[in-house]
Amino acid sequence: MKELVVVAIGGNSIIKDNASQSIEHQAEAVKAVADTVLAMLASDYHLVLTHGNGPQVGLDLRRAEIAHECEGLPLTPLANCVADTQGGIGYLIQQALNNRLAHRGEQKAVTVVTQVEVDKNDPGFAHPTKPIGAFFSEAQRDDLRQTHPDWHFVEDAGRGYRRVVASPEPKRIVEAEAIKALTRQGFVVIGAGGGGIPVVRSAQGDYQSVDAVIDKDLSTALLAREIHADILAITTGVEKVCIHFGQPRQQALGTVNISDMTRYMQEGHFPPGSMLPKIVASLEFLRHGGRRVIITSPDCLPAALRGETGTHIVNEGR
């Protein structure tokens, strides 16, 4: 039976720098992602792909802010920007994959716009810390507060004021069953882009979107758990995770068990803004029954799945 692998693709794999923000540049970058996916399919896996969207959401928000400043058009809610970029990035990946798969007469790729349920009482909503969008002057901030009294702003090192939103913990992937059903039908599924569209349940049980940013790796790990994936693969900027990074004792990690990786995390080897969320997500997946996590760079992922490189965190109980 084919193993099910959930692969997290970083948003910076698609927008590599400020000179590569156009749709044309993103489409070219996605072709490299598609080639990596094809190499994994050749190894006979079922695949679900997630992706980051930080740069793309930033662009969408800025477009809306400029349109608001210049033409008085309404600002776009953050949740809608997440939905828009899920569809836009998913479309690019889906098209690049399907163009290649068509030549081989094999399965198709499909994008699922994905909601992720969060707790409306998550402490992050009381103390939002995640900056989004542009810098504003004090006068602009005051105007925005009048229009949006629930918005929060922080002053950023003399550069102006930025809006901050919550980063709540993901609790449930709303479309998990649909994604699982599609993988069973042989589709390569692109879902939970950008950590998913954050939603809460009303007293009547309806879903309502909220302005928040969910950590992509945590949502990916949750999705992997809910669809009972065998392997979680997280791509990053390095071939292997290191301890004592940047020091004379730097050591790249090959195969590591849960207890050792937990100890390394507790010792403070992984920076909060970069590697730590990936390690936390990895351990959550494994503690809820996952078999293996692979962390490596995008170009090394096919070789890592063959066991030739990458950091492998293993669940010795499976």
Side-chain angles (χ1 to χ4, degrees):
M1 178 181 289
K2 289 184 179 182
E3 290 185 301
L4 175 56
V5 183
V6 176
V7 181
I9 302 165
N12 290 325
S13 296
I14 301 171
I15 292 183
K16 299 180 182 297
D17 51 47
N18 288 340
S20 306
Q21 295 181 338
S22 71
I23 297 298
E24 291 77 15
H25 279 107
Q26 292 184 58
E28 285 300 312
V30 162
K31 290 178 182 178
V33 172
D35 290 337
T36 298
V37 172
L38 287 179
M40 288 187 284
L41 289 173
S43 298
D44 212 25
Y45 292 103
H46 288 301
L47 290 180
V48 172
L49 309 177
T50 71
H51 59 81
N53 68 346
Q56 291 85 353
V57 164
L59 288 173
D60 269 17
L61 284 169
R62 187 62 190 135
R63 289 189 191 99
E65 288 160 356
I66 291 171
H68 177 73
E69 293 165 7
C70 297
E71 297 292 336
L73 297 179
L75 290 168
T76 304
L78 176 59
N80 292 73
C81 289
V82 175
D84 290 346
T85 54
Q86 273 195 11
I89 298 170
Y91 150 70
L92 292 176
I93 298 173
Q94 172 180 310
Q95 185 181 75
L97 278 172
N98 284 337
N99 285 341
R100 285 157 172 74
L101 291 168
H103 296 300
R104 297 165 46 162
E106 297 181 3
Q107 67 262 53
K108 296 291 187 180
V110 63
T111 300
V112 176
V113 175
T114 310
Q115 302 168 95
V116 175
E117 186 176 348
V118 300
D119 185 348
K120 62 184 177 183
N121 296 315
D122 188 290
F125 287 113
H127 304 284
T129 58
K130 184 73 174 177
I132 61 167
F135 292 91
F136 299 104
S137 68
E138 187 172 357
Q140 289 173 317
R141 179 205 63 182
D142 292 342
D143 287 342
L144 287 168
R145 275 180 170 168
Q146 288 186 349
T147 309
H148 306 278
D150 57 331
W151 283 16
H152 298 264
F153 294 85
V154 295
E155 198 274 333
D156 192 321
R159 294 183 294 175
Y161 294 85
R162 291 187 79 187
R163 185 183 171 203
V164 289
V165 298
S167 184
E169 181 182 351
K171 295 296 185 182
R172 176 174 171 265
I173 309 296
V174 177
E175 284 75 23
E177 284 301 314
I179 292 171
K180 189 174 182 179
L182 287 164
T183 62
R184 287 173 173 169
Q185 293 297 316
F187 286 91
V188 178
V189 183
I190 304 128
I197 305 161
V199 296
V200 296
R201 296 294 285 270
S202 70
Q204 293 75 33
D206 297 331
Y207 289 114
Q208 297 175 342
S209 62
V210 290
D211 278 354
V213 174
I214 305 174
D215 182 88
K216 168 184 66 68
D217 295 316
L218 290 179
S219 287
T220 300
L222 178 59
L223 173 62
R225 285 159 43 192
E226 292 193 354
I227 65 175
H228 306 295
D230 300 288
I231 300 172
L232 170 63
I234 299 176
T235 63
T236 186
V238 293
E239 185 174 343
K240 294 183 178 182
V241 178
C242 293
I243 57 174
H244 305 294
F245 185 76
Q247 303 173 27
R249 290 191 297 157
Q250 178 172 312
Q251 176 186 345
L253 301 176
T255 300
V256 190
N257 61 34
I258 293 175
S259 59
D260 284 343
M261 189 58 86
T262 300
R263 175 168 55 84
Y264 294 144
M265 180 179 69
Q266 293 170 344
E267 290 172 352
H269 287 283
F270 310 122
S274 56
M275 190 58 71
L276 182 60
K278 301 180 191 328
I279 301 301
V280 171
S282 300
L283 294 174
E284 279 294 298
F285 170 68
L286 294 170
R287 287 170 180 151
H288 286 82
R291 187 171 65 82
R292 177 182 297 265
V293 174
I294 299 171
I295 302 177
T296 192
S297 59
D299 55 316
C300 290
L301 189 51
L305 278 169
R306 297 192 297 268
E308 298 168 5
T309 189
T311 293
H312 297 245
I313 313 172
V314 296
N315 189 342
E316 295 177 329
R318 288 198 66 190

